[in-house]
Amino acid sequence: MLGMERRQKIVDLIQKDRKIYVSKLSHLFDVTEETIRRDLEKLEIENKLTRTYGGAVLTQHTNEDLPFPKRESINRELKQKIALKAAELINDGDTIMMDTSSTCLELMEALQDKKGLTIITNSIKIPYNFVNSNFNIISTGGTLRAHSLALVGPVAHDTLQNYYVDMAVMSCKGLSLDKGIMESNEPESELKKSMVKQAEKFILLADHTKFNKTAFIKFCDFFDINYIITDCAPSENWLELFIKFNIQIIY
């Protein structure tokens, strides 16, 4: 295999998995680890990845706003596990505001045995996918961001102001110890702020790849959060912060 072809396959892998390891790539392509390191060095110069100890991670810009189909395919198994944990916190008859995240879409699948749920959302994917379900689904209406299948703007905000719910459930683009909870674009960030204000409890769904990441705009502080559900144990400094803000961490 030519080096150019191998590097393109490496780019394809890191786009899918967000993180790659030198040892695994060496075995996969049957070349030395030094060859893989040279490949990663060239790809870093091209700004396609960022090298780390033992591998590399996908280079991301703070305002990178991935289209929904691509977000839906990333870390799907982790999102499904998180969704199953989140479903345990939701009872029959609850009222819930949900964002347009792919993790919330997985949560909807996990909630289908629940009875009497009311879901208020700015997603167009949720009403479409669950049109024949037993959920009572209320759409915010608003202006469509086709890129993310999200409804935003004044109409969506006005709708949210009419309701007070048991919980807001959503994901984010990144969590930073000193910057808070962040999103990649302002219109959806503003909707998330409104959802948090209208909810008795806030449940944040975030797999481990979201931790220690900075995104474009902050939409809430840690004191706003009641639960964080993730896929593995966070580091000690994160656990200390969760204790400080009385956040229950579930993984």
Side-chain angles (χ1 to χ4, degrees):
M1 182 184 295
L2 295 174
M4 185 179 298
E5 182 182 359
R6 186 177 58 250
R7 287 190 289 277
Q8 183 55 54
K9 288 185 178 295
I10 290 173
V11 170
D12 292 341
L13 285 170
I14 201 167
Q15 288 284 347
K16 177 184 176 184
D17 298 333
R18 321 296 280 182
K19 190 172 185 178
I20 52 177
Y21 299 92
V22 170
S23 57
K24 290 184 178 180
L25 293 175
S26 173
H27 178 75
L28 177 64
F29 295 113
D30 194 25
V31 295
T32 65
E33 292 191 1
E34 186 57 36
T35 297
I36 295 298
R37 290 190 186 94
R38 287 196 295 269
D39 285 338
L40 297 183
E41 183 178 1
K42 290 178 181 178
L43 291 170
E44 185 175 47
I45 291 171
E46 296 172 8
N47 201 32
K48 293 180 178 177
L49 52 77
T50 301
R51 286 183 295 165
T52 61
Y53 180 78
V57 296
L58 184 66
T59 297
Q60 292 181 299
H61 301 288
T62 62
N63 64 343
E64 182 182 25
D65 193 15
L66 297 175
F68 187 88
K70 189 169 185 177
R71 285 191 285 123
E72 193 174 18
S73 66
I74 296 171
N75 294 331
R76 188 164 189 176
E77 289 186 5
L78 300 184
K79 294 171 184 176
Q80 289 170 340
K81 292 177 180 178
I82 290 170
L84 289 173
K85 287 291 185 183
E88 296 175 5
L89 299 178
I90 297 172
N91 300 310
D92 292 348
D94 278 345
T95 54
I96 309 164
M97 287 185 179
M98 285 191 190
D99 69 356
T100 62
S101 64
S102 54
T103 312
C104 277
L105 195 64
E106 295 292 346
L107 175 58
M108 291 291 291
E109 294 285 354
L111 291 175
Q112 293 199 72
D113 290 336
K114 304 284 185 179
K115 296 179 176 61
L117 296 183
T118 296
I119 311 295
I120 303 170
T121 182
N122 67 319
S123 165
I124 65 167
K125 187 81 169 174
I126 286 176
Y128 180 83
N129 282 19
F130 298 93
V131 66
N132 295 317
S133 71
N134 293 321
F135 301 125
N136 177 30
I137 299 177
I138 300 172
S139 173
T140 62
T143 303
L144 175 64
R145 292 189 79 238
H147 185 75
S148 58
L149 306 183
L151 298 167
V152 297
V155 171
H157 278 280
D158 288 347
T159 299
L160 292 179
Q161 302 309 310
N162 292 328
Y163 299 98
Y164 296 92
V165 296
D166 295 310
M167 62 191 73
V169 185
M170 64 189 76
S171 188
C172 64
K173 181 68 180 292
L175 297 87
S176 167
L177 286 167
D178 58 344
K179 298 181 181 69
I181 316 302
M182 290 162 288
E183 194 43 78
S184 59
N185 67 87
E186 189 165 8
E188 290 179 60
S189 175
E190 291 301 312
L191 261 291
K192 289 174 188 276
K193 288 179 184 178
S194 293
M195 289 182 177
V196 172
K197 289 178 181 177
Q198 302 302 111
E200 187 71 24
K201 294 185 293 187
F202 174 26
I203 301 172
L204 182 68
L205 314 179
D207 68 62
H208 71 276
T209 65
K210 306 287 182 70
F211 285 76
N212 301 307
K213 295 290 176 63
T214 299
F216 182 59
I217 185 167
K218 174 181 173 181
F219 74 85
C220 78
D221 289 296
F222 289 103
F223 57 72
D224 293 313
I225 303 171
N226 300 98
Y227 297 89
I228 292 180
I229 305 178
T230 188
D231 58 293
C232 59
S235 61
E236 190 62 34
N237 53 353
W238 278 104
L239 294 176
E240 290 174 0
L241 180 140
F242 297 152
I243 291 171
K244 176 182 176 181
F245 288 99
N246 197 29
I247 298 170
Q248 185 172 340
I249 178 73
I250 300 171
Y251 53 88

